[in-house]
Structures are given as structure tokens and as C-alpha cells.
Amino acid sequence: MVIRSLLNSSRPVAFAAAMLSAVAPALAQQPIPPAQTDEGSAQKRGRITPFNGAALPEDGERKPAAAGPEKPKPSDGSAPSKGVNVIDRMGAELPDLPEEKPFTGKIDEAYGAFQRGYYLTAMDLALPRAQLGDPAAQTLVAGILEQGLGVARDAKAAAFWYGQAATNGDPAAMFKYALILMEGRHVKRDRKKADELMKKAADLGNASAQFNYGQTLVADMPGERGLKAAMPYYEKSAEQGIADAQYALSQIYVNVDGVEDDKRARAREWLLRAARAGYDTAQLDIAIWLIEGIAGDRNLEEGFAWMKRAAESGNVVAQNRLSHLYVNAIGTRPDPVEAAKWYVLSRRAGLKDDALEDFYLGLNETQQKSALAAANKYRSS
């Protein structure tokens, strides 16, 4: 089991076992002047101009710039161009578009109808082909029946067609039928055949099968041996955008011995990709990594932002950790009411924290009432 870095020892570890159930560059900022000394006042941001506090000239008047003809800009590249405005561009001849390559593949009218939402038409077009043994059509029929799109939902019939398509070599159907075999839904449970189909689908490039087969290897070979065996499958799946695989890869790259340095250097990149995809556990971890400086430099403000995003998505551990960040002014200003709000939300979800309980009891009555009201409002929204 992979051990991830924690803000404190109370945070649960969740990686391989929990998953078996299944960047934009920072913008440059203008200098920020010091905060005013009055309590509760906010820092002023932006440039200092005669309209927000800059000293006027000694005579107390702003003098307009001397009028005169504008000097022409050199056209030798030593000065930036003003560009061409829309009016100047109108009527100008545009460059020719590149020649469109003709489509030489076979048009699948059934899938075209399905993609446009014409499910009954898609079924009418696909079913005859499915009956003749077309694996793509069989997979389409199975999907329509499984989801009940335009027809009555029929999981048993869907399992049949997934089985037919898997036998005829469709990778997506292999993945779906492997899951059906694992669970024994409408077919006899067969773990061996399920593993064989999952591996075959993974080797044929199905991203979901690649991740799930990696999970199978981790389960069958606990410890670093299984993680190293699964790593190539996680890598292929992660490259195709599967957030679970991206998260798994980040943990392996940081925690498993013997990983190449160039791969280890990409651990934070993979974790960020999973976080940006909306995976709340990855959002929690990238927040911790940024705050603690794991697999890269520390960035308290960015770490706080990711922690808040994970908390707002409902991650209870992130809600607890966010409360600590507000209490200790890590990446943000101290805010006792916000800290108490997030603590109340995490406590209601069952996460106990003696340190935060002491903090909460130390607030005055007005602050406690405000925090409870904010927590109630957040939950109701």
C-alpha cells in the first residue's frame, strides 16, 4: 500500500485498496503595498496612481502632456507594433484554408444517430448488423439496452450482447463484459475469464481496462512488486486522461523505490492533472504537497486554494484540513468564523479533531453562532 504524505498522523491513507472497488502557469502579479495598520482593513492591491494615493507634483497640479505630432514608430522591430485593428482588417484578403483531407473510412450511421440522440434510429440501424456478428454494432446495442435509451432497460440482454461483442474482439465490450463476469451479473461469475478479458482489452488500448487491470495486479501482488507491475498500465491509462490512473501514478512515482528520476520528477504533474479533472482526493493531496513542499517547491497560497476546492467538493478530510489552515493563517489570512464553519461541517460528517474542538470552544458566542449559521447555509445550498 502506498503511504502518502500527511499534514498530521490522523489523516487516513487511501490508495490501492480504496480504489479497487471499482497547469496553467502562474500569472505575474503587481507588487502589493503593505497592509494598513487598522484592524480588519484589507490590503490595497494594484498600482499606485494619482487617483489612489500617489503624491502629486510639487506644484500640486497634474500637467497635461505637451501636445505635438506623434513620432512615427520605427518599423525595424526595435519598438512594438500597435497591430492592425478590426476596421483595417476588414476587406483584407485572408490566407487560403488548408485543403481538407477526404474521409476514406466507413461511415457508421448507427453511431451517428446515437451521437445525435436518435436512440431508436440507432437501435434500428445497429440491431440487424449486430445479429450478423458486427462487434461495434453489438456493443452499441448493448449500451442502449444497458442504459435504457429509448427502449426498456434490459441488463440481461445487454450482458448477452456485450459477451457477443467481446468474443468478436471489441475492446470496449471486453472491458464491460469483464466487469459483468467479475460481479456475476446475469452470467456465471468467472474471475479467471474476467482477468483474461481485462488484460486483452488493456493491451488493445482501452483506457479504463488499463487502469482496472493495473488494479488487479496490485491486488494480486501486494506491495511494491504489484505496484511496479501495474505502473506501465497506469501510465498508458493516465496518458489517455483517466484521473484515477493519474492519481495512482503520482503516488507510485513518489513512494516506490527504484522509479527513474525523470518519472519521479513528473509526480506532481500527474497529481495536478488528476486534481484538475475534479478528483477530490487528488485535490486534497496536491494541496498537502504544495503546502509541505513534496515533489516540488512550496506554494502556500496555491495549496490553500486547492484545499478549499477539495473541501467545497465535499471531501471531509479537506474540510478538516482547511479549518486548520484558517486557524494558522497558512496560505490565507486568519478567519476564526470560516475555520469554525469548516470544522463544524467535518465534525458533522464524523471526523473528530480535539485541537479544533478546543479552538471552537474558545470562540465567543457571536463567533460560534456565525460559524453555525454559515455551516447550515453551506449545507443547505
Side-chain angles (χ1 to χ4, degrees):
M1 180 176 289
V2 172
I3 299 177
R4 298 179 291 154
S5 171
L6 309 177
L7 277 175
N8 59 37
S9 60
S10 66
R11 182 175 163 233
V13 175
F15 170 50
M19 295 193 296
L20 278 168
S21 59
V23 179
L27 297 175
Q29 296 183 353
Q30 296 293 338
I32 301 173
Q36 295 182 5
T37 56
D38 294 339
E39 184 178 355
S41 61
Q43 275 189 332
K44 289 186 177 180
R45 297 176 180 267
R47 296 175 178 165
I48 297 178
T49 70
F51 302 96
N52 65 6
L56 293 171
E58 293 181 359
D59 58 5
E61 296 181 359
R62 291 191 297 270
K63 298 180 179 179
E70 185 178 354
K71 295 182 180 180
K73 297 281 186 180
S75 57
D76 58 359
S78 60
S81 169
K82 290 184 177 180
V84 180
N85 62 36
V86 176
I87 302 300
D88 294 333
R89 193 73 178 96
M90 289 175 62
E93 185 177 352
L94 296 173
D96 295 332
L97 292 172
E99 184 178 354
E100 186 175 348
K101 296 181 180 179
F103 177 71
T104 57
K106 185 178 179 180
I107 297 174
D108 193 324
E109 294 181 352
Y111 268 96
F114 178 82
Q115 290 171 338
R116 294 193 301 273
Y118 301 137
Y119 303 123
L120 285 176
T121 301
M123 177 65 90
D124 290 341
L125 292 170
L127 188 56
R129 290 168 42 198
Q131 292 169 335
L132 293 173
D134 184 330
Q138 290 169 339
T139 301
L140 180 57
V141 169
I144 292 173
L145 290 168
E146 181 185 29
Q147 300 176 66
L149 300 173
V151 299
R153 182 173 295 176
D154 191 337
K156 186 174 182 179
F160 167 79
W161 285 113
Y162 277 132
Q164 294 294 306
T167 300
N168 290 326
D170 186 79
M174 291 177 189
F175 166 67
K176 297 288 289 189
Y177 197 59
L179 295 178
I180 293 171
L181 289 169
M182 284 182 182
E183 299 174 8
R185 291 182 288 126
H186 309 294
V187 297
K188 184 179 179 180
R189 187 174 182 181
D190 191 334
R191 172 64 190 273
K192 182 179 179 182
K193 186 177 179 180
D195 289 349
E196 290 173 354
L197 277 176
M198 192 69 76
K199 184 179 187 305
K200 191 172 181 180
D203 291 338
L204 288 171
N206 184 276
S208 297
Q210 288 164 344
F211 170 74
N212 280 272
Y213 187 64
Q215 295 289 83
T216 300
L217 293 172
V218 171
D220 292 344
M221 296 181 287
E224 289 195 354
R225 180 166 165 259
L227 292 170
K228 287 181 177 179
M231 189 167 68
Y233 288 97
Y234 286 147
E235 289 172 336
K236 293 174 183 177
S237 181
E239 289 287 357
Q240 296 193 70
I242 301 298
D244 299 75
Q246 294 167 346
Y247 174 77
L249 211 54
S250 71
Q251 305 305 303
I252 292 174
Y253 282 176
V254 162
N255 296 290
V256 175
D257 293 332
V259 174
E260 296 91 333
D261 290 342
D262 59 334
K263 289 185 176 182
R264 199 179 298 279
R266 296 190 65 194
R268 185 180 283 192
E269 173 192 336
W270 285 118
L271 188 57
L272 271 169
R273 288 177 66 171
R276 289 171 181 150
Y279 190 5
D280 65 302
T281 304
Q283 293 169 351
L284 168 63
D285 272 27
I286 193 61
I288 295 172
W289 285 23
L290 287 162
I291 291 168
E292 295 188 356
I294 298 171
D297 296 332
R298 298 179 70 188
N299 188 322
L300 301 183
E301 291 77 14
E302 191 174 343
F304 170 83
W306 277 114
M307 191 71 78
K308 191 169 187 290
R309 184 169 173 180
E312 289 173 343
S313 70
N315 188 293
V316 177
V317 177
Q319 292 172 347
N320 175 276
R321 297 294 86 209
L322 184 62
S323 179
H324 279 281
L325 297 183
Y326 274 118
V327 170
N328 296 288
I330 298 175
T332 186
R333 291 186 177 187
D335 191 329
V337 173
E338 275 294 295
K341 179 189 86 171
W342 290 108
Y343 168 60
V344 168
L345 290 168
S346 64
R347 184 181 63 183
R348 287 173 177 172
L351 185 55
K352 297 177 64 176
D353 190 313
D354 292 339
L356 287 179
E357 182 68 18
D358 289 342
F359 158 77
Y360 179 76
L361 295 175
L363 297 177
N364 60 48
E365 184 178 357
T366 300
Q367 290 173 321
Q368 289 184 3
K369 286 183 177 180
S370 297
L372 287 171
N376 293 334
K377 182 178 180 182
Y378 179 83
R379 182 176 59 178
S380 64
S381 63

